[in-house]
Amino acid sequence: MKILMVGEYRDGKPLGTCAELIEFASRLGGEAAMFLVGSKDSLPNLSGTLYLADSTSVGEFNPDGHKKLLLDVIAKEQPQMVVFPHSSYGWDLAPRIALALKAAQVSEVVDVTEKALIVPCCNSKLRRQVKVKTAMTVVTLQAGAFTPQSQVSATPQVIELPGAEPGTINFNGYEAAAAGGVDLSKAKVIVSAGRGIGKPENLSMIDALAKALKGEYAASRPVVDAEWTEHSRQVGTTGQTVAPKLYIACGISGAIQHLAGIKKAEFVIAINTDKDAPIGEVADVLAVADLKQLVPLLTQRIAGG
Ligand SMILES: Cc1cc2nc3c(=O)[nH]c(=O)nc-3n(C[C@H](O)[C@H](O)[C@H](O)COP(=O)(O)OP(=O)(O)OC[C@H]3O[C@@H](n4cnc5c(N)ncnc54)[C@H](O)[C@@H]3O)c2cc1C
């Protein structure tokens, strides 16, 4: 299979998602090249061809310009698959390319087999196998789903691309998210509440356990979306990435978007009534129990009661 990866570049360097694209391509095997609007001064760790446009002339975000350059590369490479990260860059550009090529688009892929792309459905409770019938497929990859175990250092063969015409969209730069809320990145212990807590009143037992362990409490996205707690406590791809010594996931199923945020946790304990919950695959300890019973007992024991 011939694959064209579309790398991402920000503030002078390729983003980590480039390595995830490379990992995905290597799992499929075959030939893979990359398209990147970036700089010769900071190349991705890639063995193979890199089609490189200069971001200072093309612009880091210029959908019309990037689309035109990318379509030219696609015409030359004739890949069967064009792969983007599922990021604001990818989900903007991928549909433009799919529409222009009348190709199938498969979004938020979390796994791949020889025969099918795997995407979550039913709020990540099920996984769907997708087989595509068009000659070319445009794919976006869910963040964290294809993180490589290790990386071999490599230098690509660069093919420089020309500049691009200014597009209809003016890019004014990035704006940092406003500081504030809770900084979970420094917490040594995090006790996290998922939808399994059932109701907002039960957050207090999660907070009590976190306090007994001198840590912070956090939450999965449904808990934040329901406005049971503030967004700064959300862990995952659209929340914070955390690296505690101990992470206790209470009533959290283990969706890929949540797991992406706890990859650096040293020890994970999951409390879940479902012995087959996906969090069990990554947790060091899975306690099959009702959190409403176990969490207060743990708090009492830790507090010396
Ligand atoms: C683009 C995108 C970005 C996303 N970003 C994030 C993100 O940043 N962070 C995030 O968390 N999610 C994110 N999500 C949502 C994600 O896909 C999942 O839907 C979400 O993580 C599920 O949260 P949960 O595990 O709390 O709930 P559920 O999946 O509903 O799981 C609840 C769990 O609680 C267990 N349970 C129920 N009752 C009890 C009990 N009494 N005791 C113990 N266990 C119990 C159940 O067995 C189940 O495993 C994102 C989704 C998308 C599409």
Side-chain angles (χ1 to χ4, degrees):
M1 157 142 353
K2 205 166 180 190
I3 300 169
L4 182 67
M5 304 170 282
V6 181
E8 233 182 332
Y9 182 92
R10 173 113 22 111
D11 294 334
K13 51 182 190 307
L15 294 187
T17 46
C18 290
E20 298 188 24
L21 296 170
I22 295 167
E23 171 68 16
F24 170 82
S26 79
R27 283 197 213 170
L28 274 177
E31 208 184 315
M34 185 179 280
F35 167 89
L36 182 74
V37 179
S39 160
K40 274 192 288 188
D41 298 334
S42 183
L43 296 173
N45 209 358
L46 170 77
S47 65
T49 305
L50 177 70
Y51 291 93
L52 184 70
D54 184 7
S55 65
T56 48
S57 65
V58 177
E60 277 186 23
F61 184 76
N62 168 2
D64 298 336
H66 288 207
K67 177 181 154 190
K68 189 179 174 312
L69 289 171
L70 184 50
L71 286 174
D72 289 346
V73 172
I74 290 170
K76 187 172 170 214
E77 278 281 314
Q78 292 291 316
Q80 284 134 293
M81 198 178 267
V82 184
V83 194
F84 296 78
H86 192 74
S87 60
S88 49
Y89 179 68
W91 70 57
D92 183 283
L93 197 50
R96 295 173 194 268
I97 297 295
L99 185 65
L101 296 169
K102 305 252 180 303
Q105 193 197 322
V106 185
S107 285
E108 295 178 66
V109 169
V110 295
D111 204 354
V112 66
T113 67
E114 272 174 30
K115 294 187 187 134
L117 298 163
I118 314 292
V119 293
C121 58
C122 299
N123 210 3
S124 295
K125 289 196 168 47
L126 296 176
R127 288 184 166 201
R128 179 180 285 149
Q129 295 194 16
V130 182
K131 291 178 196 166
V132 177
K133 291 183 179 163
T134 48
M136 191 185 290
T137 315
V138 175
V139 169
T140 69
L141 304 183
Q142 185 57 256
F146 295 95
T147 308
Q149 295 298 318
S150 59
Q151 278 189 67
V152 183
S153 134
T155 310
Q157 293 105 50
V158 176
I159 297 178
E160 287 185 52
L161 298 173
E165 299 288 313
T168 50
I169 295 171
N170 285 327
F171 175 60
N172 293 328
Y174 299 102
E175 197 172 304
V182 188
D183 181 7
L184 296 172
S185 64
K186 299 197 175 61
K188 296 270 184 289
V189 176
I190 294 177
V191 185
S192 204
R195 194 178 351 228
I197 65 165
K199 52 183 181 181
E201 291 75 15
N202 287 337
L203 255 184
S204 59
M205 71 172 77
I206 305 295
D207 186 27
L209 180 57
K211 286 204 171 87
L213 289 163
K214 300 189 173 35
E216 282 289 351
Y217 86 85
S220 68
R221 180 162 160 175
V223 174
V224 173
D225 285 352
E227 300 187 355
W228 295 353
T229 190
E230 71 262 48
H231 181 261
S232 65
R233 292 196 184 267
Q234 182 179 315
V235 170
T237 48
T238 45
Q240 294 200 46
T241 299
V242 297
K245 286 189 175 306
L246 174 62
Y247 188 83
I248 308 182
C250 307
I252 292 178
S253 59
I256 192 91
Q257 297 90 351
H258 189 84
L259 299 183
I262 62 168
K263 281 220 159 89
K264 293 185 183 149
E266 280 181 34
F267 198 86
V268 176
I269 298 176
I271 302 173
N272 203 301
T273 42
D274 178 3
K275 68 173 176 39
D276 297 319
I279 189 107
E281 287 167 29
V282 296
D284 297 281
V285 172
L286 170 66
V288 181
D290 184 337
L291 70 91
K292 295 193 282 303
Q293 292 170 355
L294 186 57
V295 169
L297 277 176
L298 283 174
T299 309
Q300 202 181 22
R301 182 65 67 88
I302 290 159

